[in-house]
Amino acid sequence: MRFWLEWDRGTMNARDLEVKFTSYASYIASREWARECSMLPVLVCVAPDIAQERRVQRVAQARLTPTPGAVLWATTEVLLNEHGPLASIWLQG
């Protein structure tokens, strides 16, 4: 499985996140990623806390919804550390 990992440290506000996810949407639309593989990688985001996870989800959904094939999985650092990456800790947005 291929994925892009965003390890969010909680330092970005909603405006910064909008710029970041708009860049992802542009990159996905350009199909530049298809040079390396035929399937669009999943965007995996790990946030430091629930508030930032929700902020990431909200902004990503707004910026990536018009982008066909874009998939986001998000969780918190605490859940990842406590349960591991294969547990049912991922919110799909």
Side-chain angles (χ1 to χ4, degrees):
M1 171 182 211
R2 287 184 67 100
F3 59 90
W4 294 318
L5 176 63
E6 279 289 334
W7 196 279
D8 189 304
R9 295 177 305 185
T11 58
M12 298 182 103
N13 59 32
R15 184 173 174 218
D16 295 333
L17 291 170
E18 287 173 2
V19 170
K20 177 182 285 202
F21 287 109
T22 298
S23 295
Y24 270 111
S26 296
Y27 183 70
I28 291 168
S30 77
R31 298 208 35 90
E32 187 67 29
W33 55 269
R35 287 182 178 191
E36 296 179 18
C37 64
S38 61
M39 251 179 88
L40 180 62
V42 173
L43 179 55
V44 175
C45 295
V46 179
D49 55 49
I50 293 172
Q52 185 69 2
E53 178 189 26
R54 289 180 181 156
R55 187 175 299 113
V56 166
Q57 284 272 34
R58 185 178 66 250
V59 172
Q61 184 174 19
R63 297 297 174 191
L64 296 175
T65 295
T67 308
V71 176
L72 173 77
W73 293 353
T75 194
T76 63
E77 189 174 351
V78 171
L79 287 174
L80 183 61
N81 287 335
E82 286 180 7
H83 303 286
L86 300 179
S88 298
I89 59 171
W90 302 98
L91 295 176
Q92 294 185 4

